[in-house]
Structures are given as C-alpha cells and as structure tokens.
Amino acid sequence: MADPKLLVICGSLRAGSLNRKLLDQAVAAFGPAEVTYANIRFPLYDGDLEDAEGIPTEVQTLHGQMQEADAIVIATPEYNSNISGVLKNALDWVSRAKPMPMGDTPIAILSATGGRTGGVMAQNSLRQCLTPFQPIVLQGPAVAVASASGAFDEEGNLKDERYVKAVQKLMDRLRAII
C-alpha cells in the first residue's frame, strides 16, 4: 500500500513559527507519508475580487491538496482567544471552491502558544470553523503546548515528554482512522 497523503497547515506565517515546529514534530510522529506543507498566503477574501478575477490560483492549489489528502493536520496559534486571521481567511477562500473540500477527511488539530492554556480556545474556534466542511475532527488527545517559546530545544524538538507522548498518540489515532 502506498504511503498516505498527509496535508499539514500552519496557521502562522512566521518563518520561526512555534506551530510550524509543532507540525514538524507531528509529521515525524505520524511516520511514513507523502507530506505536503500548505501555503496559506492568500489575499484577503473579497467577494468583489472573486467576482472580477475568480478564485486565486493559490486557493485552487490548496483546495486540490485538501481533496487529495488522506488526512490533514492543522496547527493554530491563538490570537486574542481565537484562530489567526490568515487561517480563517484560508478557510473562507477554500469554502468558495467547489466541491466543498475535506468532507469526511480525518483532521488532527494542535496548537502552540505563549499563553498558559496552549491554544485551547483557538482549537475550539477552529473546530467551529471546520463544521461547514464536515470533516472527521479527532477529539483528542489534546495537544496544546503552553508557554511555547520555551517548549522546544535548539533542534526544534519538544522538551516535555508529556507533549511528545500526546503528539505521538494523536498521530497514531490519525493514522489508524485513514
């Protein structure tokens, strides 16, 4: 059997994003897969832009990647108790492409934030934002890395064994469901 197609989406655009480091941990824990890191650098959604120019090529690319994925992993930062604007914008754009992507696709959600809760509120918000797509969102184990600026070593690996085990368990569940 061929390796599963795993799409990973980082809700932060920063080059040194802690959520990107967390995604790298998840990819390693997932094991053999055909991995694609999504690009969500899109223009802001604007119905007039869509009417005048159609759906941007970058959005169509992500839509296709979502359609082809056997599973998706999304890491979201928490900005003001919610998901990042770029992640919400990407979901809004992709929802305009037909057919609606991600239906019945297994999705794992993770977060890494500087706060004490590790992004739990952003994860809950992301679950709501995913509802119209009708994916299969894994309910746990929760991977919400708190005080994330000190959670990774110099090589980008999680230092706390509890987080390492939670990531591994979540990725094992994701692999099992596909």
Side-chain angles (χ1 to χ4, degrees):
M1 180 178 188
D3 289 338
K5 292 181 181 181
L6 184 65
L7 177 64
V8 292
I9 302 171
C10 185
S12 173
L13 300 179
R14 294 183 61 205
S17 166
L18 298 170
N19 282 280
R20 178 62 182 252
K21 289 180 183 181
L22 186 56
L23 279 173
D24 291 342
Q25 296 286 293
V27 166
F30 187 82
E34 184 182 319
V35 179
T36 301
Y37 282 81
N39 170 22
I40 61 169
R41 288 187 183 271
F42 303 154
L44 290 175
Y45 177 75
D46 177 344
D48 291 338
L49 175 65
E50 181 183 4
D51 289 344
E53 300 178 23
I55 296 175
T57 303
E58 303 92 332
V59 174
Q60 292 177 31
T61 297
L62 179 58
H63 180 271
Q65 291 166 339
M66 289 174 164
Q67 290 288 97
E68 294 174 6
D70 294 312
I72 299 173
V73 181
I74 303 173
T76 181
E78 186 169 282
Y79 296 164
N80 300 313
S81 303
N82 215 317
I83 65 174
S84 66
V86 296
L87 182 54
K88 178 67 167 86
N89 185 57
L91 294 173
D92 288 343
W93 262 120
V94 168
S95 73
R96 304 297 297 159
K98 302 300 177 224
M100 184 74 89
M102 298 189 284
D104 295 327
T105 301
I107 295 181
I109 297 173
L110 312 97
S111 58
T113 67
R116 293 177 287 156
T117 64
V120 171
M121 291 177 77
Q123 288 190 23
N124 290 335
S125 180
L126 179 55
R127 282 180 171 81
Q128 288 181 323
C129 292
L130 291 171
T131 299
F133 297 95
Q134 299 182 5
I136 301 168
V137 181
L138 276 67
Q139 297 303 309
V143 178
V145 180
S147 303
S149 61
F152 297 88
D153 64 20
E154 298 78 31
E155 287 81 41
N157 298 309
L158 285 166
K159 295 190 281 189
D160 189 323
E161 192 61 29
R162 292 174 303 156
Y163 290 138
V164 172
K165 287 179 180 177
V167 169
Q168 186 63 61
K169 188 172 182 180
L170 184 62
M171 292 302 99
D172 289 346
R173 283 191 175 168
L174 186 63
R175 183 176 279 283
I177 202 169
I178 25 185

